[in-house]
Amino acid sequence: MLELYFHPSPNPLKVALYLEEVQSKYELKIVDTFRGDQHEAEFLALNPNAKVPVLVDGDTTVFDSAAILLYLADRDQRFIGTRAERASVLSWLMFISTGLSPFSGQAVHFLHHAAEKLPYAQRRYLKEVERHYRILDRRLASSPYVGGSNYSIADMAAWGWMSFAHYILGEAGLSSYPNVNRLYTEISSRSAAQRVQAIRQATAVKTDFDEETRRSLFPTNY
Ligand SMILES: N[C@@H](CCC(=O)N[C@@H](CS)C(=O)NCC(=O)O)C(=O)O
């Protein structure tokens, strides 16, 4: 059976959504990153980068959410778009994976967790997140889905971070991006996404952001 190394945070949610969409059987392996599980030798053997998600499929191990989504979509020939849409799905998947996702991660870091309050860094990453959502919003004004006319792994990748948008953008959340919000609402109403949200709520992990957590998540600061 597939094993998904998981924490209820944005990047693992993308893969959980795919697996729920295809109604795959999989075992959730909880990695409590706030306690430092990602630095255990057993986990590092799966992902030397010490981050979730990781997928183990028999004797195949894949790490990084975009790699896992591509691996699964290629394996199943699902959610990768039509042949004509393939280039567009790949382009937008990379836009999410190398743009929206890491900028969102850094925005969370500087807005909520940095030991020093650094207005320049806060503004830089927040503005980059907003810029990515503006680009996505323009795309979605003329396209039903991120990659084109079909729901694809590019939408699933976007949904992972959209689910945490309020944590970066504040109470307004995605409301300034009506087309992004439309897609977020549509995906969230799918039964697969609802099952993922239920898993997210039910996963018992550490939430205190104390010294142990700072050392686990930001080890290079020490
Ligand atoms: N590029 C990676 C990033 C993975 C990532 O940053 N995962 C976070 C959870 S969303 C994590 O494992 N954080 C724990 C840590 O950085 O120690 C991906 O898309 O999978």
Side-chain angles (χ1 to χ4, degrees), residues 124-188:
R124 163 79 185 149
Y125 289 110
L126 176 60
K127 292 291 156 194
E128 276 298 302
V129 171
E130 291 174 351
R131 188 179 71 82
H132 278 78
Y133 276 126
R134 277 200 303 278
I135 293 171
L136 210 47
D137 202 57
R138 281 199 293 274
R139 165 68 176 164
L140 290 166
S142 61
S143 176
Y145 296 100
V146 174
S149 32
N150 295 289
Y151 177 48
S152 77
I153 52 175
D155 302 286
M156 296 178 198
W159 184 80
W161 273 104
M162 287 176 189
S163 305
F164 282 77
H166 63 279
Y167 200 45
I168 298 168
L169 302 173
E171 285 221 343
L174 293 169
S175 58
S176 307
Y177 312 95
N179 303 300
V180 173
N181 208 16
R182 181 254 306 151
L183 180 66
Y184 174 64
T185 307
E186 181 188 320
I187 299 175
S188 299

Side-chain angles (χ1 to χ4, degrees), residues 7 9-12 14 33 38-39 49-53 63-66 97 101 161 216-219:
H7 182 275
S9 46
N11 294 304
K14 304 170 182 178
T33 55
Q38 68 275 40
H39 303 295
N49 194 30
K51 292 185 194 298
V52 281
F63 63 83
D64 198 291
S65 58
S97 304
S101 295
W161 273 104
S216 300
L217 294 181
F218 319 131

Side-chain angles (χ1 to χ4, degrees), residues 9-205:
S9 46
N11 294 304
L13 290 188
K14 304 170 182 178
V15 177
L17 179 57
Y18 181 99
L19 294 173
E20 290 295 336
E21 288 289 3
V22 298
Q23 300 194 16
S24 178
K25 277 199 167 45
Y26 63 100
E27 186 185 347
L28 269 190
K29 302 275 211 179
I30 306 304
V31 180
D32 196 338
T33 55
F34 278 35
R35 291 190 194 280
D37 292 358
Q38 68 275 40
H39 303 295
E40 297 292 335
E42 209 179 312
F43 184 75
L44 289 173
L46 301 174
N47 183 0
N49 194 30
K51 292 185 194 298
V52 281
V54 173
L55 184 82
V56 176
D57 180 10
D59 54 11
T60 301
T61 300
V62 202
F63 63 83
D64 198 291
S65 58
I68 300 169
L69 289 172
L70 282 167
Y71 169 81
L72 289 168
D74 179 56
R75 188 195 69 167
D76 301 342
Q77 286 302 300
R78 295 196 59 187
F79 298 116
I80 187 78
T82 60
R83 188 123 203 94
E85 274 178 355
R86 190 71 40 93
S88 175
V89 169
L90 294 178
S91 300
W92 285 101
L93 175 67
M94 292 306 144
F95 169 84
I96 305 289
S97 304
T98 66
L100 180 69
S101 295
F103 278 116
S104 294
Q106 293 306 308
V108 167
H109 180 81
F110 286 108
L111 290 171
H112 298 292
H113 303 312
E116 299 161 59
K117 187 175 180 295
L118 297 167
Y120 175 85
Q122 291 183 343
R123 191 178 152 77
R124 163 79 185 149
Y125 289 110
L126 176 60
K127 292 291 156 194
E128 276 298 302
V129 171
E130 291 174 351
R131 188 179 71 82
H132 278 78
Y133 276 126
R134 277 200 303 278
I135 293 171
L136 210 47
D137 202 57
R138 281 199 293 274
R139 165 68 176 164
L140 290 166
S142 61
S143 176
Y145 296 100
V146 174
S149 32
N150 295 289
Y151 177 48
S152 77
I153 52 175
D155 302 286
M156 296 178 198
W159 184 80
W161 273 104
M162 287 176 189
S163 305
F164 282 77
H166 63 279
Y167 200 45
I168 298 168
L169 302 173
E171 285 221 343
L174 293 169
S175 58
S176 307
Y177 312 95
N179 303 300
V180 173
N181 208 16
R182 181 254 306 151
L183 180 66
Y184 174 64
T185 307
E186 181 188 320
I187 299 175
S188 299
S189 69
R190 294 175 69 88
S191 55
Q194 286 169 7
R195 288 195 295 277
V196 174
Q197 293 295 14
I199 291 168
R200 181 177 165 190
Q201 303 302 332
T203 304
V205 283

